[in-house]
Amino acid sequence: MTGRNDEAGRAPDAGPEERRGFLGKVSGLAMSIGLIGGYGAFGAVAARYLYPAKADPKSWFFVAVLREFEVGSSIAYRAPSGARINITRRGVGESLADFSALSSTCPHLGCQVHWEAVNERYFCPCHNGAFDHEGKAIAGPPAEAGQRLSTFPLKIEKGVLYIEVPTAELAQVELADEVPTGPGQDPCLFQRFPTREV
Amino acid sequence: MGVVSRWIQDRIPLDAGRLRELTNEPVPNHLKRWWFCLGGTPAYLFVIQIFTGIMLAFYYQPSPRTAYESVAYITDEAAFGWYLRSMHKWAATFMVAAVILHQMRVYFTGAYRKPRELNWMVGMLLLICTLTIGFTGYSLVYEQLSFWGASVGANIAESVPVVGPLVKNMMLAGESYNDRTLPRFFIMHAAILPIVMIVLLFIHITLIRIQGVTEFGATEEEKKKTFNFFPDHLYTEIIMGLSLMIILSALATVLPAEMGPRADPLTTPEVIKPEWFFYVMFRWLKLFSGTVAVISSGFIVFVMFLWPFIDGAIRKYTRAKEASVWIGILGVLAIIALTVWEASVAH
Ligand code: HEM
Ligand code: FES
């Protein structure tokens, strides 16, 4: 600092001093860019490492042969994850519009809904969401947001119905079939869907 | 000087007298009032949490296949495992309560006003960390409510506009709860959040040392009286701390931490409740649609964060000098009302 002042004192013409100031700023900037870039790269590597590697894999699975699937009936389909999916045939036609595959995952915040036969509705215990048999929300936060139970993609090929679901298995699928006990667990509620299996 | 201390002095030339002077700041007398100790209580509890938490980590195994069984092992088989686990649980409850009470005392004594605005903001970060550490800890047990709490929490994060899906993926290590989820919660709970909190506490206490504690309602005479931090204040804290340990031990013995049903990702329990300090949020979620609830609660936290400046503006531009007191009373009543409402009904 003092050195610089001395020099400026000796040369009243500020030319070289200005240039030195400029060069100083440029090299300072270059240094900061280098440092930010370098350490930033480490940060980016760490962030990318923590972000899940790939989306959860999905695959197509067989559901039913169309001519054995009665109009108005439902199949309680089990995905590899153990998730229950209610597949219904709505119409006599053989187009996708005649089928629906309702997820049992509440569109609000992801709890599992169950069918309440007495009230003829799917009920979500987390925040009191309710849905009619077609999956349209009729009460609670999902109704307020105009949501519905999501559906899974279906396809029909040569008279056979297929569904696309995640293939990942969860650790406790085997356990899920034991009747759970303890507070908050009602074995009767284990009947999830109005199943009229074919 | 003895041989040993000479030997040490030769290598570490620290002057013991100066060291004492540095640490021995006189403490204002009004700190003997119990409500001014509410900041020291969470600090003491935090130390208990670190100790009991490290003990639990010796047996805990963070994976959906083993987590529940390892906690059951701690509870039923490891010698005094039930005691350490129950202490950790009760101290967590006390810590959240103490932080809330401490914040209320800071709020109602106006201690957040100039020059302490920044320390209020550090305190808000500590509050958020405390609640988050409570949430992640609860998820580790892999009970039904741990699992569904974590899933719902991740989905709340997802409904935040723009960054939501990214945050959810980062939280769960995937689009939904999977085998890689629990290690994340464990690392957050047992490593990242404690380190962040230690750093924040260090800043918090440094700022208190620089700015001094407010002297709300102290008379001129009282203000002049001080007592020594060492040993007076330290001894007081140690004695208070032991009393706290005794209360916690009694609670841990009479009402030990138990095991709920194991997590079942396919069945949401009929009655689902988070920890009591999230009842407010939980009731709020039932009152509004997802996005509305999330954005409005984000806004409330934001206002709390900037409160010293908002309050400053109110006092400067309006005649309502003590508006903060009334707003605070309304806020506390609303929090109590929502908590009691959630606690008293099943759905
Ligand atoms: C882990 C949680 C926390 C710990 C361990 C802690 C610790 C402390 C301690 C020891 C004090 C000294 C005075 C006293 O005992 O009251 C203090 C003061 C203070 N705290 Fe905290 N605190 C925590 C959370 C918070 C929160 C949530 C807020 C508010 C948002 C906050 C804001 C403040 C402010 C502004 C002061 C200065 C008040 C004054 O000078 O009178 N703290 N804190
Ligand atoms: S998760 Fe179903 S209503 Fe909230």
Side-chain angles (χ1 to χ4, degrees):
Chain A
M1 217 47 211
T2 37
R4 212 187 259 181
N5 283 346
D6 289 347
E7 254 178 69
R10 256 181 275 130
D13 145 44
E17 169 65 12
E18 239 167 51
R19 206 171 306 136
R20 194 164 306 127
F22 175 73
L23 284 179
K25 271 190 197 136
V26 169
S27 63
L29 188 71
M31 183 67 97
S32 328
I33 291 176
L35 284 173
I36 294 171
Y39 283 107
F42 282 114
V45 167
R48 185 59 196 87
Y49 167 76
L50 290 178
Y51 191 80
K54 53 177 185 293
D56 302 349
K58 288 188 184 137
S59 184
W60 289 96
F61 290 91
F62 167 84
V63 177
V65 178
L66 288 194
R67 74 188 129 67
E68 290 172 3
F69 198 168
E70 282 170 46
V71 176
S73 69
S74 293
I75 297 174
Y77 183 81
R78 280 276 209 137
S81 69
R84 279 155 240 254
I85 300 166
N86 199 26
I87 306 177
T88 311
R89 179 160 195 176
R90 300 176 186 290
V92 279
E94 300 211 336
S95 74
L96 286 181
D98 298 302
F99 300 88
S100 78
L102 270 195
S103 158
S104 59
T105 302
C106 179
H108 178 223
L109 293 173
C111 291
Q112 291 288 307
V113 302
H114 57 257
W115 179 253
E116 286 184 344
V118 262
N119 298 320
E120 297 222 346
R121 60 173 195 176
Y122 295 102
F123 181 68
C124 176
C126 281
H127 314 96
N128 310 341
F131 307 83
D132 67 11
H133 68 283
E134 291 191 324
K136 204 164 101 31
I138 47 176
E144 230 148 284
Q147 288 166 319
R148 44 179 307 123
L149 290 176
S150 64
T151 54
F152 284 87
L154 294 169
K155 77 177 175 190
I156 298 169
E157 257 172 31
K158 302 199 181 96
V160 178
L161 184 66
Y162 297 90
I163 186 168
E164 191 184 32
V165 287
T167 55
E169 287 176 29
L170 274 175
Q172 45 291 109
V173 169
E174 318 83 68
L175 278 151
D177 273 334
E178 297 165 15
V179 175
T181 50
Q185 290 284 11
D186 183 344
C188 306
L189 291 171
F190 219 53
Q191 181 76 10
R192 267 345 41 201
F193 284 106
T195 28
R196 280 154 283 162
E197 278 182 65
V198 278
Chain B
M1 214 188 286
V3 189
V4 178
S5 49
R6 160 101 14 94
W7 191 91
I8 294 175
Q9 270 292 317
D10 281 349
R11 281 150 191 87
I12 310 169
L14 258 188
D15 178 357
R18 204 173 133 51
L19 200 64
R20 174 147 325 140
E21 198 182 301
L22 270 180
T23 51
N24 203 7
E25 200 200 28
V27 182
N29 227 16
H30 70 287
L31 266 199
K32 286 190 172 157
R33 292 201 187 137
W34 65 268
W35 63 83
F36 275 95
C37 292
L38 286 170
T41 310
Y44 190 89
L45 290 165
F46 189 60
V47 175
I48 296 185
Q49 288 308 69
I50 290 178
F51 177 75
T52 52
I54 290 176
M55 295 309 251
L56 294 177
F58 274 87
Y59 290 113
Y60 179 70
Q61 295 167 276
S63 122
R65 288 174 181 78
T66 53
Y68 186 81
E69 285 69 20
S70 67
V71 178
Y73 179 86
I74 294 170
T75 315
D76 299 330
E77 318 219 356
F80 290 110
W82 64 270
Y83 174 71
L84 291 166
R85 182 176 166 228
S86 306
M87 284 293 272
H88 197 70
K89 204 168 170 173
W90 275 109
T93 303
F94 271 50
M95 175 147 175
V96 174
V99 170
I100 293 173
L101 289 176
H102 166 57
Q103 182 169 9
M104 278 168 61
R105 119 68 181 111
V106 168
Y107 183 91
F108 285 110
T109 55
Y112 55 83
R113 288 180 186 146
K114 194 186 163 194
R116 298 188 178 82
E117 299 97 326
L118 293 177
N119 215 12
W120 167 268
M121 291 164 90
V122 174
M124 273 301 289
L125 291 180
L126 277 167
L127 172 71
I128 292 169
C129 284
T130 308
L131 294 179
T132 314
I133 211 166
F135 167 73
T136 49
Y138 191 48
S139 305
L140 294 181
V141 188
Y142 208 66
E143 294 173 352
Q144 269 288 57
L145 295 182
S146 318
F147 179 88
W148 291 102
S151 306
V152 168
N155 286 318
I156 293 176
E158 193 189 21
S159 53
V160 173
V162 190
V163 291
L166 177 88
V167 176
K168 180 185 178 184
N169 264 284
M170 279 302 215
M171 265 175 87
L172 298 181
E175 285 151 37
S176 55
Y177 204 106
N178 61 57
D179 283 359
R180 276 157 270 118
T181 305
L182 265 180
R184 281 194 185 214
F185 277 82
F186 185 45
I187 293 293
M188 284 299 285
H189 181 79
I192 297 176
L193 285 168
I195 292 172
V196 170
M197 287 175 79
I198 288 169
V199 172
L200 287 171
L201 273 173
F202 180 77
I203 302 175
H204 199 61
I205 289 168
T206 307
L207 286 176
I208 294 164
R209 289 294 299 266
I210 294 173
Q211 299 168 333
V213 179
T214 46
E215 305 181 319
F216 180 80
T219 62
E220 277 308 312
E221 217 161 292
E222 277 178 318
K223 276 185 194 175
K224 276 191 222 99
K225 270 196 249 161
T226 59
F227 59 94
N228 280 339
F229 181 84
F230 186 86
D232 301 17
H233 195 58
L234 196 67
Y235 283 172
T236 319
E237 289 271 338
I238 291 176
I239 294 166
M240 293 291 288
L242 188 62
S243 322
L244 200 60
M245 289 281 278
I246 292 169
I247 296 174
L248 286 172
S249 300
L251 280 168
T253 312
V254 179
L255 298 166
E258 284 169 4
M259 304 289 298
R262 192 183 199 282
D264 173 2
L266 304 174
T267 318
T268 306
E270 193 44 22
V271 176
I272 157 167
K273 297 264 170 190
E275 292 265 68
W276 61 271
F277 46 88
F278 285 122
Y279 277 11
V280 177
M281 183 68 196
F282 205 58
R283 188 34 71 179
W284 199 254
L285 280 168
K286 290 179 189 171
L287 294 176
F288 306 99
S289 76
T291 325
V292 176
V294 168
I295 293 180
S296 56
S297 26
F299 179 74
I300 291 171
V301 173
F302 182 71
V303 167
M304 283 169 72
F305 212 83
L306 294 183
W307 182 251
F309 304 103
I310 299 173
D311 177 61
I314 295 176
R315 283 155 62 87
K316 194 161 171 200
Y317 299 111
T318 72
R319 260 180 291 152
K321 299 293 172 228
E322 294 305 326
S324 69
V325 175
W326 298 108
I327 294 172
I329 290 175
L330 277 184
V332 171
L333 286 179
I335 289 172
I336 293 175
L338 287 172
T339 304
V340 171
W341 181 5
E342 183 58 46
S344 56
V345 294
H347 284 296

